[in-house]
């Protein structure tokens, strides 16, 4: 069905009430690879209850942690085959540290639909509050839908982040696990692209690929650990563009440049020397 931007843009997708527990937070952190050094006090902030802190990227899974069905791309004016969709961008801004356990309500609306010619980009924004209205976090994300362009919408502008013309202040190497996607899917994203070899081949990939949001979380943790002393409460926001895929088991190489409160981030697959995350910025407090 052709995209109808008149119906889609501004559409409210309804309230979602959800809750999470410390077990959910621990599962998410472990699915990102936390606890690889199980006697390291900084790692135990992610992987045990004693001094548990919540990485802000947990916001990306909190509402869907217990989902067991593959996600659907079905919005007002938009119906898209899941196999034609890849994650485009993701941003999370936390308004205060995320509680270890809590209840909240999320309200999502379609901010824009862009026509890139051969593809469409759908941009959503979700605001999450406690039930008394106290703000917790805001998410903005986009999906890239292949073959869905040409509907006559506006193309939109580029949000490219210019990196300094100098060597990075730090380079971080982070291995991923061969079973990383199978672990991460337990956080609520059962898209078969990440677990079913046949589905992945039909979508144009030789093997199932790692969830983009898993890569997003892995990199956010790596940068927080290396430059913010693993203090997740110092993270105000993290935004990134998904520039390429990660194959489970690859090592990520992340370059970071300091720019005041901003940490400018670029991540590649060390194994293939291929871009993974671009235009990424972590803002610290």
């Amino acid at each position: 069905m052709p995209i109808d931007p008149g119906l889609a843009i501004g559409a409210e997708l309804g309230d979602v009430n959800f809750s999470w527990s410390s077990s959910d937070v621990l599962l998410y952190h472990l699915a990102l690879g936390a606890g690889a050094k199980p006697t390291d006090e900084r790692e135990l902030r992610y992987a045990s209850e004693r001094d548990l802190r919540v990485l802000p990227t947990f916001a990306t899974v909190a509402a869907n942690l217990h989902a067991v069905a593959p996600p659907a791309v079905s919005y007002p004016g938009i119906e898209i085959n899941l196999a034609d969709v890849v994650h485009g961008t993701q941003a999370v801004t936390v308004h205060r540290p995320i509680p270890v356990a809590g209840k909240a309500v999320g309200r999502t609306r379609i901010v824009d639909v862009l026509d890139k010619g051969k593809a469409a980009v759908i941009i959503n924004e979700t605001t999450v509050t406690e039930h008394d209205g106290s703000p917790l976090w805001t998410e903005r994300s986009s999906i890239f839908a292949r073959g869905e362009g040409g509907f006559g919408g506006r193309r939109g502008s580029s949000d490219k982040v210019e990196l300094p013309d100098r060597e990075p202040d730090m380079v971080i190497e982070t291995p991923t696990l061969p079973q990383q996607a199978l672990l991460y899917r337990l956080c609520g994203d059962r898209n078969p692209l990440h677990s079913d070899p046949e589905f992945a081949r039909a979508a144009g990939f030789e093997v199932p690929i790692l969830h983009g949001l898993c890569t997003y979380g892995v990199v956010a943790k790596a940068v927080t650990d290396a430059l913010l002393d693993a203090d997740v409460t110092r993270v105000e926001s993290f935004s990134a563009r998904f520039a390429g895929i990660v194959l489970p088991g690859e090592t990520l190489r992340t370059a970071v440049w300091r720019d005041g409160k901003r940490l400018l981030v670029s991540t590649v697959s060390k194994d293939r020397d291929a871009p993974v995350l671009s235009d990424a910025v972590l803002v610290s407090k």
Side-chain angles (χ1 to χ4, degrees), residues 150-173:
F151 55 85
R154 68 187 192 88
R155 186 171 181 84
S157 59
S158 172
D159 297 321
K160 186 171 178 58
V161 175
E162 295 294 336
L163 298 175
D165 186 19
R166 57 180 174 83
E167 290 298 308
D169 294 298
M170 183 170 287
V171 176
I172 311 161
E173 292 196 354

Side-chain angles (χ1 to χ4, degrees), residues 127-249:
T127 58
V128 175
T129 64
E130 293 187 296
H131 286 277
D132 65 1
S134 302
L136 286 170
W137 65 80
T138 302
E139 288 183 72
R140 181 172 282 228
S141 64
S142 70
I143 58 173
F144 188 88
R146 296 172 291 189
E148 297 292 338
F151 55 85
R154 68 187 192 88
R155 186 171 181 84
S157 59
S158 172
D159 297 321
K160 186 171 178 58
V161 175
E162 295 294 336
L163 298 175
D165 186 19
R166 57 180 174 83
E167 290 298 308
D169 294 298
M170 183 170 287
V171 176
I172 311 161
E173 292 196 354
T174 312
T176 65
L177 299 170
Q179 69 271 35
Q180 196 97 50
L182 299 178
L183 283 167
Y184 187 83
R185 70 193 296 268
L186 300 181
C187 295
D189 187 343
R190 301 297 180 96
N191 186 338
L193 178 63
H194 309 294
S195 60
D196 184 333
E198 185 176 339
F199 187 96
R201 283 193 293 271
F205 301 103
E206 292 184 6
V207 296
I209 62 175
L210 192 60
H211 305 69
L213 284 180
C214 183
T215 302
Y216 176 80
V218 167
V219 172
K221 178 182 180 298
V223 174
T224 300
D225 291 351
L227 287 101
L228 302 179
D229 194 31
D231 185 354
V232 300
T233 66
R234 293 178 60 190
V235 178
E236 181 176 302
S237 67
F238 183 50
S239 58
R241 182 179 305 280
F242 298 99
I245 64 166
V246 174
L247 304 179

Side-chain angles (χ1 to χ4, degrees), residues 174-178 180 210 218 244-253 268-276:
T174 312
T176 65
L177 299 170
Q180 196 97 50
L210 192 60
V218 167
I245 64 166
V246 174
L247 304 179
E250 291 185 332
T251 294
L252 304 180
R253 178 185 286 142
V268 301
S269 161
K270 178 182 177 182
D271 304 66
R272 293 177 289 113
D273 193 28
V276 171

